[in-house]
Amino acid sequence: MDRDERVVRALLSEYGRTYAEEAGIRLKDTPQPLYRLLVLSLLLSARIRAFVAVAAARALHEDQLDSPRRMAEADWQQRVDALGRGGYRRYDERTATQLGDGAELLTERWGGDLRRLHQEADGDTGELKRLLQEEPGIGPAGADIFLREAQRVWPDVAPYLDGKALDGAGRLGLPKDPDRLTGLAGDTEPAVLATALVRAGLDKRVAEDCLRHAS
């Protein structure tokens, strides 16, 4: 086993868990888990610690704000309170508004079903990313987060290793080529690899830990 393979193995062993899994989302190609992933992606895209975004996503789910209809029907204060309980206080008021507006748009435009948005893109990942950004609060970073995780159930998107994932590869001294990286990961799903690489890119301690274990 060469050096790159050892580094990838160490990375996946310690950090091979998607953010959706952390948030308790059993991702399937069905409306509710896809919507929960969209909400999580919006939360993660703010300048806030990932564990706070995950806790806020869990709090919204605990309050049953886990479908576009329920999110739109909830009043603004309900959304603020759930976000606050998850520790998402710095952006809670603006995010509560974005979640309500986004739920309404998703319902009106795609019948509350992100699979219809996927179908509209017709296999064009760039168009898919553009359509996702029509949702209030979802910018390029949020769309990347969503697609990194959604490739688990939308295989036509895979391998989706965006700039954040490739930054992580660079920090680990790995090649910045998606095909080579997925080859090094073997049977590991690209979604898991992408999230692990992002963790290394965001936190140098993760990278240092992996390099130490691989040496």
Side-chain angles (χ1 to χ4, degrees):
M1 185 184 301
D2 67 17
R3 181 261 180 203
D4 288 353
E5 290 174 317
R6 293 196 305 274
V7 170
V8 171
R9 176 172 290 190
L11 175 70
L12 294 173
S13 175
E14 296 296 321
Y15 303 101
R17 191 179 188 207
T18 67
Y19 289 117
E21 288 171 328
E22 282 192 12
I25 302 171
R26 294 184 179 180
L27 198 56
K28 299 178 182 178
D29 191 20
T30 54
Q32 187 182 51
L34 287 171
Y35 177 66
R36 290 183 63 195
L37 175 60
L38 184 71
V39 170
L40 175 63
S41 300
L42 187 158
L43 298 173
L44 283 166
S45 65
R47 293 184 178 181
I48 200 161
R49 297 293 295 273
F51 74 87
V52 175
V54 167
R58 284 184 172 273
L60 288 165
H61 177 59
E62 288 164 3
D63 284 4
Q64 297 186 325
L65 303 181
D66 51 11
S67 73
R69 178 181 61 80
R70 288 172 176 167
M71 188 69 79
E73 288 177 352
D75 64 39
W76 179 82
Q77 191 62 51
Q78 279 181 276
R79 297 192 290 268
V80 169
D81 290 346
L83 291 167
R85 198 171 69 253
Y88 204 88
R89 295 186 180 87
R90 184 177 174 188
Y91 302 101
D92 55 352
E93 296 186 358
R94 183 184 68 183
T95 301
T97 299
Q98 291 171 337
L99 289 170
D101 292 345
E104 291 178 4
L105 175 65
L106 182 56
T107 300
E108 292 167 5
R109 177 88 186 266
W110 293 290
D113 189 344
L114 284 161
R115 293 176 301 179
R116 295 185 183 180
L117 180 152
H118 185 205
Q119 290 167 359
E120 185 175 326
D122 195 26
D124 184 335
T125 302
E127 177 66 3
L128 185 53
K129 184 173 179 177
R130 187 192 69 77
L131 290 171
L132 286 166
Q133 291 178 72
E134 292 190 14
E135 280 285 301
I138 298 289
D144 280 337
I145 294 166
F146 181 88
L147 292 173
R148 282 200 307 261
E149 305 247 347
Q151 66 182 316
R152 194 167 214 172
V153 293
W154 290 352
D156 59 302
V157 176
Y160 194 85
L161 301 181
D162 65 316
K164 289 284 188 185
L166 296 180
D167 286 346
R171 176 170 271 179
L172 291 163
L174 295 169
K176 288 190 170 186
D177 177 83
D179 290 334
R180 289 184 64 189
L181 287 167
T182 53
L184 288 168
D187 294 334
T188 299
E189 295 174 89
V192 175
L193 172 64
T195 304
L197 288 169
V198 167
R199 293 180 194 275
L202 293 176
D203 188 343
K204 67 178 183 179
R205 292 171 298 180
V206 170
E208 290 168 352
D209 182 50
C210 292
L211 292 173
R212 184 170 58 250
H213 280 88
S215 61

